[in-house]
């Protein structure tokens, strides 16, 4: 939800549309970029109810402006995706579903999840992945989870890219590979700023790029999607 990864979404979506349609084609996008510091304060305080209301209000504002679907461009805030989806009259493209379909299509069974502490340690992400796709994810050990989380907030969300942090992430992936992981989910939309398939000893599933592609598939009419709400 930082503007660092928002810029990646914007660029990725427009490049995909241009590649598919050619010429000067670009995506018809409505973008609401929030004050990330306010959202982080809600996360730290455990006030997910306030975060839910803030995102629901934002989503409805986009719908009133003409949005035909909603993307929450962050993995962590999918903790409140069900509630946001129920608050809007258009489909919400759920990032876990997008990643899950990609894993199934590739035949992956045991991914490592790299993400914020909230995403790695709470159950909203892994429960949906298990229930919908039968995939049970691994997460790093506690000390490594702290490192992964801190690099996201202290560096990547602030535009800081360090070779030492890349080496740390690669080492975490390597340990997971030795423990039986068959791929890695970049389950925070900023992680792709630091590592990609060239760095990783395991196949990489970048949630940001997969989510952006799903948006373009919806735009082109090739993605059939259900809302999160029952």
């Amino acid at each position: 939800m930082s503007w660092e990864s928002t810029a990646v979404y914007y660029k990725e979506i427009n490049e995909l549309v241009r590649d598919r349609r050619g010429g000067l084609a670009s995506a018809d996008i409505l973008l609401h970029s929030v004050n990330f510091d306010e959202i982080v304060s809600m996360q730290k305080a455990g006030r997910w109810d306030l975060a839910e209301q803030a995102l629901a209000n934002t989503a409805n504002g986009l719908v009133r402006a003409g949005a035909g679907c909603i993307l929450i461009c962050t993995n962590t805030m999918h903790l409140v995706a069900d509630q946001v989806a129920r608050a809007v009259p258009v489909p919400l493209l759920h990032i876990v579903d997008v990643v899950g379909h990609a894993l199934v299509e590739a035949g992956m069974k045991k991914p490592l999840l790299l993400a914020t502490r909230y995403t790695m340690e709470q159950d909203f992400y892994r429960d949906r992945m298990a229930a919908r796709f039968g995939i049970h994810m691994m997460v790093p050990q506690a000390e490594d989870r702290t490192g992964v989380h801190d690099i996201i907030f202290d560096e990547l969300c602030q535009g800081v890219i360090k070779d030492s942090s890349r080496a740390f992430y690669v080492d975490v992936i390597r340990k997971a590979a030795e423990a039986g992981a068959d791929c890695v989910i970049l389950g925070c939309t900023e992680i792709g700023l630091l590592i990609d398939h060239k760095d990783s000893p395991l196949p990489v599933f970048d949630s940001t790029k997969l989510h952006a592609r799903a948006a373009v598939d919806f735009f082109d009419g090739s993605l059939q999607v259900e809302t999160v709400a029952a």
Side-chain angles (χ1 to χ4, degrees):
M1 188 162 278
S2 75
W3 67 260
E4 295 285 347
S5 63
T6 302
V8 177
Y9 267 94
Y10 186 78
K11 185 173 186 290
E12 190 75 17
I13 289 171
N14 277 295
E15 285 182 345
L16 286 167
V17 170
R18 182 182 60 193
D19 290 345
R20 293 185 187 187
R21 299 196 172 188
L24 298 176
S26 58
D28 189 2
I29 296 173
L30 288 165
L31 170 63
H32 187 130
S33 183
V34 303
N35 181 349
F36 187 46
D37 187 62
E38 294 177 355
I39 300 295
V40 171
S41 295
M42 295 173 191
Q43 292 174 345
K44 288 180 177 179
R47 293 303 307 267
W48 299 102
D49 57 327
L50 297 180
E52 169 197 327
Q53 190 58 56
L55 293 194
N57 289 342
T58 296
N60 273 304
L62 292 169
V63 171
R64 288 193 297 272
C69 71
I70 295 294
L71 279 76
I72 301 175
C73 296
T74 163
N75 287 265
T76 295
M77 294 313 300
H78 277 72
L79 189 151
V80 299
D82 286 11
Q83 297 92 317
V84 174
R86 286 193 288 268
V88 295
V90 299
L92 184 148
L93 307 189
H94 200 293
I95 203 165
V96 175
D97 294 349
V98 170
V99 174
H101 283 299
L103 293 171
V104 169
E105 185 175 327
M108 299 300 175
K109 302 292 186 183
K110 196 172 184 182
L112 169 70
L113 175 65
L114 297 181
T116 67
R117 180 182 291 113
Y118 311 110
T119 305
M120 290 187 289
E121 296 182 355
Q122 299 200 45
D123 59 10
F124 70 98
Y125 206 98
R126 62 174 177 263
D127 283 0
R128 188 180 184 93
M129 187 68 75
R132 293 205 165 201
F133 302 98
I135 294 174
H136 300 277
M137 300 179 295
M138 299 172 60
V139 296
Q141 296 298 313
E143 184 176 354
D144 286 344
R145 291 199 301 271
T146 297
V148 168
H149 176 93
D150 289 347
I151 287 168
I152 290 169
F153 283 95
D154 297 343
E155 298 174 22
L156 303 182
C157 288
Q158 299 182 48
V160 177
I161 307 297
K162 295 182 178 179
D163 290 340
S164 58
S165 296
R166 181 178 298 108
F168 173 80
Y169 269 63
V170 170
D171 187 58
V172 172
I173 297 170
R174 179 188 56 76
K175 287 187 282 189
E178 292 172 354
D182 59 8
C183 63
V184 56
I185 299 169
L186 307 188
C188 170
T189 55
E190 284 82 19
I191 295 178
L193 298 168
L194 182 66
I195 62 172
D196 61 20
H197 66 278
K198 297 188 300 296
D199 308 301
S200 175
L202 289 174
V204 168
F205 291 81
D206 186 337
S207 62
T208 307
K209 292 185 176 182
L210 291 169
H211 207 199
R213 184 173 295 276
V216 177
D217 289 343
F218 183 90
F219 177 71
D220 282 342
S222 59
L223 176 70
Q224 300 298 316
V225 62
E226 297 178 357
T227 56
V228 176

